[in-house]
Amino acid sequence: IIDRADERAFRPYVQRALGRLIEISIRTRDFDGVEELFQRLSRLPPSEIEAATQYFRAKYLYNRAVPTDEVMRDSAGSTTVPQVDQAALDESRQAFEAVQERSPYYLQARYFVGVIFTLKGQYPQAIDAFRRVLRGAATTPEHEEIIVLTQIALGRLYYETDRLDQAVEAYQRVPRTSTQFDVALYE
């Protein structure tokens, strides 16, 4: 589909195909050829490329910058501190911030902005970014999960900044029916 993206019949499927390819590259940690995919898509008319492309690019950049748990374990199985590519992290934050509010990926993008600020130790900016997530409307199960993860992230940040009452409030906003309730309760 990507190879034939410039053909009108294939254009409606390009975004989903791109998203799946990016997810596969993230899960396998094999990023060979991903930049080429984005270059090829950039040749299409902007009116025919959905806003999702910006989100997929940002997610790709983020995953290039931040190692996964599997990458962070050494041969003995002990966890090591990840080496984060700060330049790629900043580039991914800018790409996430460019995701428009009307995009179906807006809440996810705002969540990642908060995560990036947290990784950089910029807690006030992270708190502001996470609060912006909470102002959005959760219209899908994925959005509801992002809202829950945001409440947990805020609880952690408030705890780290010695705002214990606000931390407790954030954790208590996690619904008892959430799959993350046990995490919030434990923390």
Side-chain angles (χ1 to χ4, degrees), residues 1 13-14 19-20 30 37 39-40 45-46 68 70 72-73 76-77 80-81 93 109 124 134 152 163 182 186-187:
I1 291 172
Y13 308 104
V14 169
R20 288 182 179 146
D30 180 5
L37 293 174
Q39 288 173 357
R40 292 171 75 190
T68 63
E70 293 83 19
M72 295 185 323
R73 298 202 186 281
T80 60
V81 177
R93 182 184 54 79
L134 297 179
I152 292 171
R163 294 154 75 180
D182 59 334
Y186 175 77
E187 291 184 14

Side-chain angles (χ1 to χ4, degrees), residues 146-174:
I146 291 295
I147 297 295
V148 168
L149 292 173
T150 298
Q151 290 293 358
I152 292 171
L154 280 170
R156 291 172 180 158
L157 287 168
Y158 288 139
Y159 177 81
E160 287 297 319
T161 57
D162 291 326
R163 294 154 75 180
L164 301 181
D165 290 339
Q166 288 176 298
V168 170
E169 287 176 27
Y171 286 125
Q172 287 180 338
R173 288 191 186 111
V174 174

Side-chain angles (χ1 to χ4, degrees), residues 15 18-19 22 38 41 49-62 90-100 103 105-106 109 112:
Q15 297 300 312
L18 175 65
I22 297 299
F38 286 112
L41 286 174
I49 298 296
E50 296 175 17
T53 301
Q54 185 68 31
Y55 173 76
F56 293 136
R57 178 158 178 69
K59 193 170 179 182
Y60 156 71
L61 291 169
Y62 174 83
D90 286 336
E91 190 178 356
S92 70
R93 182 184 54 79
Q94 291 170 356
F96 281 124
E97 287 180 344
V99 174
Q100 299 294 317
S103 168
Y105 298 100
Y106 178 74
F112 273 106

Side-chain angles (χ1 to χ4, degrees), residues 80-129:
T80 60
V81 177
Q83 291 297 320
V84 176
D85 181 344
Q86 294 295 325
L89 196 61
D90 286 336
E91 190 178 356
S92 70
R93 182 184 54 79
Q94 291 170 356
F96 281 124
E97 287 180 344
V99 174
Q100 299 294 317
E101 194 167 349
R102 65 185 175 274
S103 168
Y105 298 100
Y106 178 74
L107 292 182
Q108 289 95 320
R110 296 309 316 162
Y111 177 81
F112 273 106
V113 169
V115 169
I116 291 167
F117 279 129
T118 303
L119 287 172
K120 294 175 80 64
Q122 299 172 342
Y123 296 157
Q125 294 90 331
I127 289 170
D128 288 342

